[in-house]
Amino acid sequence: LKAVGMTPGQLRATVLCAVGLQATLGIAVGTLAWPWLGGPLMSGLFSGLGLVDFPLRFSLVGALALAPAILAFCLLAGWLPSAKLARIRARGLVIE
């Protein structure tokens, strides 16, 4: 993207938009799918480990309360590498 003229700020914004979109979709799908898929999948995993009666509870309030923290963590995980990406010289990549 830098080779087509994006500034470091635009490059960072593009990375953060992509990370934010993926994180938001992941949080939404995970929150909606967990009540139906999470219990059976985790019970199967836990029973294989010998934890037959392991209670799994889902709290929509808890999931919604954690969603901003998860999104912030994902954005931070995209912010840090995007700084290194902004320092890469496009000309050096084309020459190699």
Side-chain angles (χ1 to χ4, degrees):
L1 296 173
K2 202 170 189 179
V4 296
M6 291 184 87
T7 66
Q10 290 171 328
L11 189 60
R12 178 170 269 180
T14 302
V15 170
L16 291 179
C17 283
V19 168
L21 179 65
Q22 291 173 7
T24 302
L25 288 174
I27 291 168
V29 169
T31 302
L32 294 173
W34 178 259
W36 295 280
L37 297 176
L41 292 174
M42 295 303 283
S43 291
L45 174 70
F46 288 144
S47 67
L49 296 173
L51 301 171
V52 179
D53 271 345
F54 193 79
L56 294 172
R57 300 185 191 256
F58 175 74
S59 168
L60 182 60
V61 173
L64 294 176
L66 281 176
I70 294 169
L71 183 60
F73 180 79
C74 291
L75 289 173
L76 179 65
W79 176 269
L80 297 175
S82 70
K84 193 171 194 175
L85 184 63
R87 289 192 302 264
I88 293 175
R89 291 182 37 221
R91 183 175 179 173
L93 293 175
V94 173
I95 292 172
E96 291 178 9

